[in-house]
Amino acid sequence: MATKAPSPVKSFPENSVEKKTYGLIESLKEFMPIDNDRNRLGYGLVKYLGGEGDAPEILLKSAKIRIVGIEYSELAKKLADGLKEIK
């Protein structure tokens, strides 16, 4: 039995909102050690920037992100400040 090759992954353009948002989250990965949590948060924040999702303060709790070494409110503030630069 043969296994198919994985689907190719297409990266976002360097100046896209998605790339900048996921980059912001990766810069804070010391506070969010689980990769899947960061991906889930990134998806939610991209939706928020598009006018569909919740604000970072709400999203951190509703997405059940595991954080280490920082309070929810502090991390939400860092995310909100970073998102202001992206907009």
Side-chain angles (χ1 to χ4, degrees):
M1 183 178 341
T3 303
K4 291 184 177 181
S7 299
V9 176
K10 191 174 179 183
S11 297
F12 293 113
E14 289 297 320
N15 59 350
S16 70
V17 172
E18 293 88 355
K19 184 78 166 186
K20 291 176 183 177
T21 303
Y22 281 98
L24 169 66
I25 293 168
E26 283 301 311
S27 73
L28 298 170
K29 75 180 191 175
E30 65 187 83
F31 304 120
M32 298 172 281
I34 301 173
D35 290 340
N36 197 32
D37 284 353
R38 291 194 304 272
N39 290 336
R40 201 166 50 247
L41 180 62
Y43 176 78
L45 290 176
V46 168
K47 295 294 253 182
Y48 169 70
L49 289 174
E52 296 181 30
D54 293 327
E57 301 84 26
I58 298 169
L59 187 59
L60 279 172
K61 292 196 178 195
S62 66
K64 298 181 181 175
I65 305 298
R66 181 173 178 257
I67 63 170
V68 177
I70 193 170
E71 295 293 324
Y72 276 102
S73 58
E74 292 175 45
L75 183 57
K77 173 129 177 57
K78 287 180 184 272
L79 288 171
D81 291 343
L83 291 176
K84 285 179 187 174
E85 294 177 15
I86 292 173
K87 286 183 182 179

